[in-house]
Amino acid sequence: EVLFYRADAQRQSGNYSGAIASYTRIQAHTAKTKPTLAAQALTGLGQTYAATGRLDDAVTALDQARAIAAGDA
């Protein structure tokens, strides 16, 4: 969970490449064991992609987060 706070801080400070790397790492390591955290990481990833103009990637990440949160993943 510490990495999640780091990723949020990176995003909020404008370190978007660092945030993308951190959120991606969190999602990869928690997808099977902590789906709620994985969904939160994907939400942060989507927000970061949106902030950098990568709208297609943002929609994909946010759709994945929604699916996990709904139990569809």
Side-chain angles (χ1 to χ4, degrees), residues 36-61:
T36 301
L37 187 58
Q40 290 172 334
L42 283 164
T43 298
L45 184 61
Q47 292 170 340
T48 305
Y49 281 146
T52 60
R54 294 173 59 179
L55 300 182
D56 288 341
D57 291 329
V59 169
T60 299

Side-chain angles (χ1 to χ4, degrees), residues 18-45:
I20 289 169
S22 294
Y23 286 129
T24 301
R25 182 175 170 200
I26 294 164
Q27 191 278 328
H29 292 315
T30 61
K32 301 269 188 218
T33 58
K34 297 181 180 177
T36 301
L37 187 58
Q40 290 172 334
L42 283 164
T43 298
L45 184 61

Side-chain angles (χ1 to χ4, degrees), residues 5-16:
Y5 294 114
R6 178 180 180 191
D8 277 349
Q10 289 170 318
R11 178 175 49 87
Q12 292 170 3
S13 69
N15 180 1
Y16 298 125

